[in-house]
Every structure is written in C-alpha cells, then in structure tokens.
Amino acid sequence: MRHLLTTLLLIPAFICRAADYNVVDYGATSDAGVNSTEAFQKAIDRCSEKGGGRVVIPAGLFRIGTIVLKSNVHLHLDHGAVVLGSTDLKDYRPMKSSYVSLRTQTETIQLIYADSVHNIVIDGYGIIDGQGRAFEKLSWNDEGVTRPHLIRFIQSQDITIKDVTLKNSGCWMQHYLACDRLHIDGIKVFNRNNYNNDALDIDGCHDVIVRGMMADSDDDGITLKSTSPRLCENIRISDCVVSSHCNAVKLGTETNGGFRNVNISGIVVKPSADQKEKFFGQWIGSSAISLEIVDGGVLENVNISDFTVEGTESPIFIRLGNRGRGYLSSGANMEAIVPINHVGHIDGVHLNNIQIRHAGSMGCSITGLPGHPVRNVSLSNISLYHKGGVKADEMAQICDTIRDEKEKAYPEATMWGNLPAKGFFVRHARNVKFSNIEIVTEQPDIRPDFVNDDVEGWGDQGDGTYRNPVLNVDFSDPDVIRVGSKYYMVASDFHFLGMQVLESDDMVNWKYISQIYRRFDEPGWDDNQHYASGSWAPAIRYHNGLYYVYFCTPDEGLYMTTARNPHGPWAPLHLVKRVERWEDPCPFWDEDGQAYLGRSRRGAGPIIVHRMSADGKTLLDEGQTVYEGPVAEGTKFLKRNGWYYLIIPEGGVGQGWQTALRSKNIYGPYERRVVLEQGSTRVNGPHQGALVDASDGSWWFYHFQETPVLGRVVHLQPARWEADWPLMGVDFDGNDIGEPVASWKKPIPSATVFLPQTSDDFSATLGLQWQWNHNPVDTHWSLTARKGWLTLKALPADCLMVSHNMLTQKVVGYQSESLTMVEASGDNYAGLFCSGKQFRGVGLCKEGVFIEVDGQRTLVQNGRFQKLWLRVTNDCQANSHQFYYSTDGLHYQPAGSAFSMHSGYWKGIRVGLFCYGNSGQAQFDAFQQKVAH
C-alpha cells in the first residue's frame, strides 16, 4: 500500500511537468561554423510565452552570440552538448540595466544575460565555452564592453546553476548582481585565457549557496563584491576546489555596500595544473583568503574555516583601506557621480582551521588605517609553512616599505612585498586574537612570527564608548566609590610602598591624585624581606565628611587611615588590630550610625562581620561568621531598599565568579545568587571589585581579570537591579548569569582621553606613579642634588632583587616603551630594570654596559661611558621584551636577547630605575613611558 501511494503521488508531478523546447527544433545547427543565436532565443522566448519549461541543448557543437533568459526558463545542456561563444563582437547585444552600480554605468556585452527575471536554471553536464581568447584587452576597464562576460544576471531571483562546465570567458566568467536566492552547485570553471578572468563574482546578492564548485582561474577565484550600496548578505560557500593566480577566495575589491553574514568552509586552494601562461598575479597565487573593505562599506560576521591551501604568496590578507571609489560613474574618465567620503569598517571575522603549505615568504597581514582599526578578528588553529629566507640585512628595506600606509591604493595581498613578520603583521587593529598558530619556514628567517603596530584598543575609544579593560594596568582588587560627581579608586599594592589613590570624572579615564602612606615601620621592611606581603585588598569609603581606607597585611594586621580630601594628606596609618592572616576588610556605617567591618581570612573565607567604633578605629567584638562559600573573599558592603548586600568573589582568582549575598539582617542569614561569570567570554575570573552608582542612577561594576604578564587589569561592566538583585554584564549564553562585555557606551560622556601618569621630568616632586620597592632610604635619593635629575646613591646589595634604591612604576598597556638616560660614578650598578617574577636590568657599571638576569650580571660592552641612554620595549601580548642601549642617544642596539616576563608576587610586570653597589651614585635625566593606546 505504501509503495502504491508513493507511485500515485508521483503521477501528477510527471503529468504536470513543463514541456521541453529543443533548440534544434527552432533551427539550431550542430556546426561551429553556423550561428545559432536566433534559434536559441526563439526557443527561450517560446518557453517563456508558454509559462516556462526546459530549453534543451542536445549533444553537439553550437555557436551563439548573446541570448537573453526569461522568467521560468530552464536552460539544460545534455551530456555532450557544447555551446561556443561567438568570436565576432557583432554577435553580442549591448545591454543596459536600470540597476545603478559601478558595473552598470555603460552598456555591456555578455553571452548569457538576464535582468529582472525569476526562476531561471542553467544545468546539465554540457559545456559552455566563451572562446574568450579571441577578444583583445583594449583598456584597463574594458571587461564587458569589448570583452564579453559569459554569464551576467542582474536583479533577478531564484537562480540555479548546476553541474555545467564553464570555460574561457572574455573577462569575468559569472557576474550575479543584486540577485536573491542564488544556488550554484557542482559546476566546473576553467578561465585562464584572458585578462580579468574571475571564476565567480557575486555582487550585492542575498541568500546565496555555492557548493562543490571546481574553479581554475587566472584572476580571482570565488569573489564577493559590492559595486553598489547593496551588501552581499547571507552567503554560504562550501566544499570547493579553487586555483587562482590572484586571490582564491576574496571579499572585495569593490566594496561600496560590503558583506554581512558570510560563511565559507571546506575549501581546497591549489596551484593550477596548467601553468603555460599568466595574465595577472603570482604563479602560486597571490592569496588564499582576502577580506577587503576600501570603498566605504562594512564587513561583519564573516566566518571562514577548514581551508587546505597549497601555495599562495601571502595566504591571509585582511585590509581596511580608503580607495573611496563611488558606485556610479560616467564618462571616459570614470568620474564618480556618487563619491565615497568615509572609511568603512571591518568588525567580526573568524578564521579557524587553515592549513597552509608551500607558501611564499611574504607573510600575512591584518591592517586598518590610523583612527580606523580592523576590529574583533579571531584566528585559531592555523599552520603556515612557507619558504622564508628573509635575512637581517633586508629588514631595513622591509620596514621602510611598510611605513607607507597606501591608504588609497588598490588592495592586494602582495602590495608591500615581504612583511615585517613571517607570520602575521597586524597594524591598526583592535581585539585581534590568535590561538594555536604555527609558523614554520623552510629556510632560516630573521623575522618574528608576529609584529603588532597599534593593534589593541582598551579604555576610552574616543567615540563615546570604552573597551575592556578600562585600565590595562595592574590594579589588583580595585575598590571604587562615588562622592558627588567624582570617583575614587584604590587597589592592592602589596610590597610596593605608597598605596595610590586615583580620581575620575567619567569612570573610564583615571589619574593619580595622592599616595596614602610611604613606609611600613615594621620588621623586614627595610631589607626587602616582604615580597607578596604588604597591603592586600583595600576598601575606600566616605562617611561624615571623611574618606576612609582600610586594608590588611598578612603578617602585621588591620590598618586604616582617613583624609578630609582624597588628594591628601592622609593621616598616619592606624593599626586597628595586630593580627595575622586577615584579609579584604570593608567598613560599613548603618543608618543608625553603628559601624561594622566585614573581612575574610587568608585562604580564603569565611566572611566575618565585626561591630566597630563609630570612628572606625576599634573593633568591638571578635566577629561573627555570616557566610561560608567556595574561596569566599573580597568583602564589599552595600545597603539598598532595606537589604544588606555582600558583593564577593568566589571560586578563586583565575577561575571564579562574582556572587551577591543579601539579607534583611546584617548578620544574615544571607540569600545567594551568582551574578557574573566568565561564561562564553575569554575574561577569566572575573574577580573582586566594586559595585558603584553613577549620578544619573545607572549602576556599574568594576572587577579585575588576572593576566599572565600585565597582572590584574581592571574591567568595567554595566549593572542593573532586578527584583532587588544586582545583575552585571550581559547574559550572552542565556543561563541567567551575566558575562563580561568587551565594549560598552561610556557611563558619562567626556571629551578628553588620558591614562594614569607614566612619565617624569624630575623637575619638582616625585611623580605619584612611582613606588619604592620596600621602605625607601631617604638619605640616599634626591631631586635637589642636581636640578631636574633624580639622584640615587649606591647602597650595598648582591643583586637587583634585594637592592634598596629600586624605584618602580607599572607597565601600562599591551605595548609600551620606557626610556631614560643615566650618568653613573663610583663602584655600582645603575640603570633601567624590568621586574615581575624575574628581575632583569640593563645599565652602567665601572667596566661598561651590563645586563642582569635574576642576579647574574653579564658585560655586553667594555668601556668607560660618561652617560648611557637606555630603553626597554614591553610587548605584553606576545610576551616579548627587549633592552636596548645607546652611547649617543641616537643609535640603539639590543642589550642581550629578547626575553619573556611573568607576573609574580601578586603583581604584574614593572619598569623602573635602580642603583646599588659599594660606592658612588647614579643620576637620571627624566623617565618616559610611551604607551600604545
């Protein structure tokens, strides 16, 4: 019965199938010497008049000029059918579309044409051969004018091209312009017989599927374009084999509208088997993947995966430029009627699982323009094997060439030749992430795998938004309060003396305004015996006209201080309780004036609440445990709508989450809710911070993220209240727990972008960015001994780590460069250092220029030098750092090899100045830290 039902269902479909119209029946002759254009067109017209059907081309050899497809026409080529394009231009009908684009400004010629039609098909196992070699290239833009396209469809819908073989077009093989619902399946394309021999051009089309195409082209292979404001959108390309002398897969070059929602996967890129002749590009191909926006368009949400690439000179090319070619032109000089006067954008590109072998030596590039960065690009699981061979004496020329941004140039992967990186050269980009990248060269190559120039954005973006981290600097355990229209921050400083207070007007841009203390008068603090000790997790609060700061040290106890003005002066530290192993205190004054203190224990947890005297200087009891959780710490009190809240991190620094506890009684019991977690983001933690309101009633949450080099950098999350619970970040994965945002609108508009202070000319007081490593020896440093210079007098020490005169400041940002000049006399070691878990320095000694690595000193240049210029570059993304020195202030040379650094003793890496030894002194003429922001 089931079989019978199936048979019955098939009968109506068979009976209703549209009729076939054989071109032979309309006068077509299987003879290459006979022009069958008229017969083909008659069959097409008759088919269309009858409501549609198949126009059948039987086995044989047929020559035609231009034919125009109509709606509901299915052009079918039987096996053995060969359709030859005429070699006589008189057989081609010039066509002019009403659609406005760069490619429709003049009449064009093509073999198969359709405009404003629907439901058309070209299929079968026959061949369409344009015989394009017969047409001479007369000018740079004569494609479609004196050299015909093979297929050109404009503003049409529901198009299928299936199984056919397409060969030898006069210029582009296929151009689909402003079409919807295009399906290309299993076709073969060979197009290596003339200039501009693209295999496939999809131009401003929507809802496109390309699958199983085999293409061999002299020019670009699979190409998406946008020659009008209409984007290429919702495109799926898969399982294709492409050979090209230019770009195997390309989004560009014409990019007035751009590209959105494009998925390309399962592509094999290989050199052509036919290498007899080349019109454009490189013998092994220019690129495998080219993603370009140069005419004001956009490129968003492009996913490319599972490529196997053989050859290509520069396999991956992502370019945001500003050629600015308009989308409608007229006249012989191609003057744009609609000019493009803005730069487009690239935002959201994902490349995964790209295997590249036998590539050229150029390297790959991701480049934007100053002020117009490429944004949010991730590259993972990429192996690049190429011939390499770049030598040291070639680098100067390479760097000189790359200085030209070529903003207006035609974008081509090979536009700069060999790049400064043998892997990826990235310039003017934000949030570019690499994961599992392998770069291997056949010959030794002096270039690094990665070179980054203006590559990361963070903090204030200058456009009303910010990118996390807002402070790409080590401010561990940040606490923030608002008083009026100002915001104040403190953070853990551990063994670095002088806890800094920062101020902000907009919650994003911060500056130092004071230091709370400058020494600990406790055992061991004069002798560098307290690494990782000192101030842990401070809290800042404002109550009854006073600013309060509380913190614990793991060995000495609970301290507090107050100030009428956060700019200082701050009262001498008051020891609230001599105790060991307390941490993370936070004071709280209730509406009735009763003071409390919450804290945890080193380890961490539980959360304990004490009653405290109104002046905050004395604890009144032994405390009561109110909560025990997994590594519960970072106590922060808040009261709102009658609820007491404890905002705490749990689960540990690198793996934990943020928890909110609430109760109607300060001693509990507390309800619990997880309100922020890493989730689907790359922000591990997120850990310990401050929930604070803005003057407009909005709420925000600061927290830190632990990073391996910079240390604990500060993020800012939008927050809101729902059913009396604070919710933070955005719930991207839909599990009712917020996740950190990468960027957001600034809480408070402001016009000026700045960073905490980093440079110092030593002309007056010591800059607030400086901190001594353990207690300073005030008799052995001076800003007055030589006006405008910092003088450090030598004190005995065995190595940098235990030296007394070690003045430090934080390394700011992903890429930075710190410089100074030193003059030294006597028997000492003095210069510039970089520290974290390791201690490394470069400087002068009585024998000459030396470097120090974890206590081991090496002389790098003998001689007596009156002065020495010193520089350290810190690339905290690549974790590559390098000392340099100069004897004339102009010509620098490396001091030792590049080295990696790691945060240590709870702090990120730092730079600074030092002098230690048996006698003498060092004097420093200013210090400058330049930050790429």
Side-chain angles (χ1 to χ4, degrees):
M1 176 63 72
R2 184 174 181 180
H3 175 75
L4 176 60
L5 178 61
T6 303
T7 304
L8 291 172
L9 289 171
L10 289 174
I11 290 172
F14 177 79
I15 293 171
C16 297
R17 193 183 71 183
D20 285 352
Y21 300 85
N22 193 308
V23 295
V24 173
D25 295 338
Y26 292 84
T29 302
S30 178
D31 185 340
V34 176
N35 190 333
S36 294
T37 307
E38 185 176 352
F40 272 57
Q41 193 63 56
K42 282 182 179 179
I44 291 167
D45 293 346
R46 184 62 174 166
C47 178
S48 179
E49 291 167 5
K50 291 294 185 180
R54 290 201 319 170
V55 173
V56 177
I57 303 156
L61 198 63
F62 302 90
R63 179 170 64 87
I64 63 170
T66 298
I67 59 174
V68 180
L69 294 187
K70 307 290 181 65
S71 294
N72 302 312
V73 170
H74 178 166
L75 190 65
H76 177 78
L77 288 82
D78 282 345
H79 184 75
V82 178
V83 177
L84 298 175
S86 174
T87 59
D88 188 342
L89 281 176
K90 294 193 295 293
D91 293 330
Y92 292 86
R93 292 167 53 188
M95 312 296 289
K96 180 72 170 71
S97 176
S98 63
Y99 187 78
V100 177
S101 82
L102 180 67
R103 290 284 173 173
T104 54
Q105 76 273 8
T106 62
E107 293 182 332
T108 60
I109 58 175
Q110 42 275 311
L111 187 65
I112 303 174
Y113 184 78
D115 193 349
S116 302
V117 300
H118 62 272
N119 192 25
I120 53 177
V121 178
I122 300 175
D123 73 357
Y125 292 96
I127 298 170
I128 305 174
D129 186 339
Q131 300 195 101
R133 190 175 286 269
F135 305 98
E136 229 180 303
K137 180 176 173 66
L138 300 179
S139 66
W140 74 270
N141 63 332
D142 68 341
E143 60 263 34
V145 179
T146 62
R147 294 179 291 130
H149 297 84
L150 193 87
I151 294 174
R152 194 156 194 248
F153 294 166
I154 303 174
Q155 50 189 357
S156 297
Q157 295 83 41
D158 301 304
I159 302 162
T160 299
I161 312 294
K162 191 172 188 296
D163 297 331
V164 295
T165 297
L166 308 176
K167 300 175 67 174
N168 306 322
S169 178
C171 55
W172 291 1
M173 178 63 75
Q174 309 167 80
H175 183 207
Y176 304 97
L177 173 60
C179 294
D180 295 334
R181 297 180 299 281
L182 169 64
H183 185 194
I184 297 172
D185 190 0
I187 69 171
K188 299 177 180 65
V189 177
F190 186 88
N191 209 26
R192 283 184 177 270
N193 70 124
N194 212 323
Y195 293 91
N196 311 105
N197 267 184
D198 291 6
L200 171 63
D201 291 278
I202 298 168
D203 185 350
C205 295
H206 295 177
D207 306 322
V208 177
I209 295 175
V210 178
R211 183 173 57 207
M213 184 174 83
M214 298 186 67
D216 194 342
S217 58
D218 179 79
D219 208 328
D220 297 330
I222 298 173
T223 310
L224 306 189
K225 294 182 178 292
S226 183
T227 63
S228 75
R230 197 174 198 258
L231 282 74
C232 269
E233 197 161 8
N234 304 329
I235 313 292
R236 178 74 170 96
I237 299 169
S238 64
D239 304 318
C240 298
V241 179
V242 184
S243 301
S244 167
H245 280 154
C246 291
N247 307 288
V249 174
K250 176 178 175 179
L251 278 59
T253 299
E254 293 88 351
T255 51
N256 295 127
F259 316 99
R260 182 182 290 127
N261 302 338
V262 178
N263 194 309
I264 304 173
S265 66
I267 308 297
V268 174
V269 178
K270 66 184 185 67
S272 173
D274 183 355
Q275 294 283 359
K276 295 175 184 175
E277 193 170 9
K278 179 174 70 68
F279 296 88
F280 282 137
Q282 312 292 322
W283 289 107
I284 62 172
S286 299
S287 79
I289 300 165
S290 281
L291 309 178
E292 307 162 0
I293 291 291
V294 294
D295 299 320
V298 303
L299 189 152
E300 298 171 340
N301 194 23
V302 172
N303 293 275
I304 294 176
S305 63
D306 301 319
F307 269 53
T308 300
V309 180
E310 182 78 12
T312 72
E313 289 289 353
S314 180
I316 297 172
F317 177 67
I318 301 176
R319 172 63 173 167
L320 176 61
N322 188 26
R323 178 179 62 169
R325 189 159 79 177
Y327 63 84
L328 177 64
S329 302
S330 65
N333 63 355
M334 297 290 287
E335 181 180 354
I337 291 176
V338 181
I340 302 299
N341 55 11
H342 65 279
V343 179
H345 73 259
I346 296 176
D347 191 341
V349 177
H350 307 276
L351 277 68
N352 178 51
N353 194 24
I354 315 293
Q355 312 302 316
I356 304 162
R357 297 295 185 272
H358 304 302
S361 62
M362 289 184 184
C364 304
S365 62
I366 302 170
T367 60
L369 295 173
H372 300 280
V374 174
R375 293 184 182 276
N376 301 315
V377 178
S378 66
L379 304 98
S380 58
N381 304 314
I382 295 174
S383 67
L384 170 57
Y385 285 55
H386 67 76
K387 65 182 181 181
V390 172
K391 297 178 172 57
D393 59 5
E394 299 174 75
M395 288 303 296
Q397 178 61 43
I398 290 172
C399 293
D400 186 60
T401 300
I402 205 70
R403 284 192 185 96
D404 185 356
E405 300 267 3
K406 298 191 176 183
E407 177 180 344
K408 299 289 185 182
Y410 183 93
E412 192 65 64
T414 57
M415 63 195 296
W416 289 292
N418 280 338
L419 295 161
K422 63 175 178 282
F424 288 86
F425 172 61
V426 185
R427 178 165 64 186
H428 308 312
R430 302 290 182 265
N431 195 31
V432 177
K433 298 185 183 299
F434 292 97
S435 175
N436 192 26
I437 309 297
E438 180 184 40
I439 312 296
V440 179
T441 62
E442 297 171 9
Q443 304 171 34
D445 195 304
I446 192 65
R447 297 173 296 173
D449 289 350
F450 300 90
V451 169
N452 299 317
D453 181 9
D454 181 23
V455 300
E456 272 299 337
W458 53 273
D460 197 328
Q461 297 298 287
D463 59 2
T465 68
Y466 68 88
R467 290 191 63 80
N468 275 318
V470 286
L471 280 170
N472 205 12
V473 194
D474 184 89
F475 287 106
S476 181
D477 313 307
D479 194 29
V480 178
I481 60 169
R482 177 176 68 87
V483 179
S485 62
K486 299 286 187 179
Y487 299 83
Y488 302 100
M489 177 188 293
V490 292
S492 297
D493 281 291
F494 298 97
H495 52 280
F496 295 107
L497 274 298
M499 181 185 293
Q500 297 151 327
V501 181
L502 293 89
E503 180 184 82
S504 176
D505 295 316
D506 61 7
M507 306 182 75
V508 173
N509 295 282
W510 293 86
K511 63 182 179 182
Y512 298 115
I513 60 169
S514 65
Q515 290 191 3
I516 290 176
Y517 59 88
R518 62 184 310 272
R519 63 184 299 112
F520 280 126
D521 291 316
E522 300 282 0
W525 281 97
D526 292 334
D527 301 316
N528 294 29
Q529 296 177 9
H530 279 281
Y531 282 105
S533 294
S535 60
W536 284 29
I540 183 169
R541 290 295 181 268
Y542 181 73
H543 175 66
N544 283 350
L546 277 180
Y547 293 85
Y548 291 79
V549 170
Y550 284 75
F551 65 89
C552 291
T553 66
D555 302 314
E556 291 86 7
L558 168 66
Y559 290 89
M560 61 85 68
T561 181
T562 60
R564 291 287 177 186
N565 189 324
H567 292 251
W570 288 84
L573 291 180
H574 170 73
L575 183 63
V576 179
K577 185 176 179 65
R578 175 74 67 182
V579 66
E580 295 182 358
R581 302 182 67 82
W582 281 17
E583 65 178 18
D584 303 3
C586 181
F588 171 72
W589 284 265
D590 213 338
E591 289 100 331
D592 61 3
Q594 177 60 58
Y596 298 90
L597 182 97
R599 52 95 178 173
S600 57
R601 283 202 296 256
R602 185 175 180 178
I607 306 299
I608 298 169
V609 174
H610 298 263
R611 289 178 66 250
M612 189 167 61
S613 61
D615 63 3
K617 292 184 175 181
T618 306
L619 298 184
L620 302 179
D621 59 25
E622 294 302 313
Q624 181 175 326
T625 296
V626 299
Y627 176 77
E628 295 188 52
V631 198
E633 55 185 338
T635 313
K636 293 292 165 40
F637 267 119
L638 177 70
K639 190 174 185 182
R640 183 178 183 271
N641 293 344
W643 290 96
Y644 295 90
Y645 293 90
L646 286 170
I647 310 299
I648 65 171
E650 294 186 289
V653 171
Q655 305 81 34
W657 55 88
Q658 203 70 31
T659 294
L661 306 173
R662 75 177 187 182
S663 174
K664 288 292 187 177
N665 187 304
I666 197 168
Y667 292 110
Y670 280 88
E671 302 173 62
R672 175 182 182 271
R673 182 170 179 176
V674 177
V675 293
L676 186 70
E677 65 178 2
Q678 177 174 347
S680 60
T681 75
R682 297 187 179 186
V683 182
N684 57 290
H687 206 79
Q688 192 158 339
L691 184 62
V692 62
D693 66 331
S695 55
D696 66 356
S698 62
W699 284 80
W700 302 84
F701 181 67
Y702 289 92
H703 66 88
F704 77 76
Q705 176 196 13
E706 186 172 56
T707 67
V709 181
L710 276 172
R712 297 172 173 186
V713 299
V714 181
H715 290 239
L716 177 61
Q717 305 301 330
R720 69 187 191 280
W721 291 87
E722 187 175 288
D724 283 323
W725 283 106
L727 304 178
M728 304 168 183
V730 173
D731 181 15
F732 295 113
D733 58 12
N735 68 345
D736 294 327
I737 301 174
E739 298 164 61
V741 301
S743 62
W744 207 257
K745 184 179 179 181
K746 285 174 59 178
I748 302 166
S750 59
T752 306
V753 178
F754 57 88
L755 301 174
Q757 304 91 302
T758 57
S759 298
D760 198 342
D761 62 5
F762 302 132
S763 60
T765 58
L766 201 60
L768 292 170
Q769 71 269 27
W770 292 109
Q771 294 176 287
W772 296 99
N773 185 346
H774 295 73
N775 285 341
V777 182
D778 289 334
T779 57
H780 280 66
W781 74 274
S782 172
L783 292 179
T784 58
R786 184 178 181 184
K787 188 173 178 59
W789 294 66
L790 168 68
T791 299
L792 297 180
K793 296 180 181 179
L795 283 166
D798 294 329
C799 63
L800 179 60
M801 183 178 182
V802 296
S803 67
H804 296 278
N805 276 344
M806 185 164 31
L807 193 59
T808 81
Q809 64 171 274
K810 298 172 172 71
V811 170
V812 179
Y814 296 115
Q815 284 85 31
S816 64
E817 178 181 78
S818 298
L819 308 96
T820 193
M821 191 269 280
V822 62
E823 295 182 4
S825 60
D827 182 11
N828 58 65
Y829 301 91
L832 177 68
F833 77 90
C834 183
S835 69
K837 188 67 174 177
Q838 309 85 26
F839 286 77
R840 295 173 176 267
V842 60
L844 276 177
C845 63
K846 63 181 181 180
E847 289 86 11
V849 181
F850 78 99
I851 57 173
E852 180 175 330
V853 179
D854 287 339
Q856 300 297 313
R857 294 182 292 270
T858 303
L859 200 66
V860 295
Q861 183 172 341
N862 269 308
R864 302 287 293 183
F865 302 99
Q866 181 181 0
K867 60 183 64 175
L868 192 68
W869 285 262
L870 300 170
R871 183 172 74 192
V872 60
T873 58
N874 296 109
D875 185 337
C876 296
Q877 283 184 304
N879 196 10
S880 179
H881 314 269
Q882 178 70 61
F883 286 125
Y884 299 86
Y885 71 97
S886 170
T887 57
D888 60 8
L890 299 173
H891 304 93
Y892 284 84
Q893 55 187 313
S897 302
F899 53 91
S900 62
M901 291 291 294
H902 300 279
S903 59
Y905 306 105
W906 308 120
K907 297 299 289 180
I909 69 167
R910 290 195 165 215
V911 290
L913 308 174
F914 69 94
C915 176
Y916 70 90
N918 296 320
S919 65
Q921 65 182 23
Q923 294 182 315
F924 297 88
D925 180 20
F927 178 93
Q928 185 178 29
Q929 185 179 157
K930 301 176 181 178
V931 180
H933 182 222

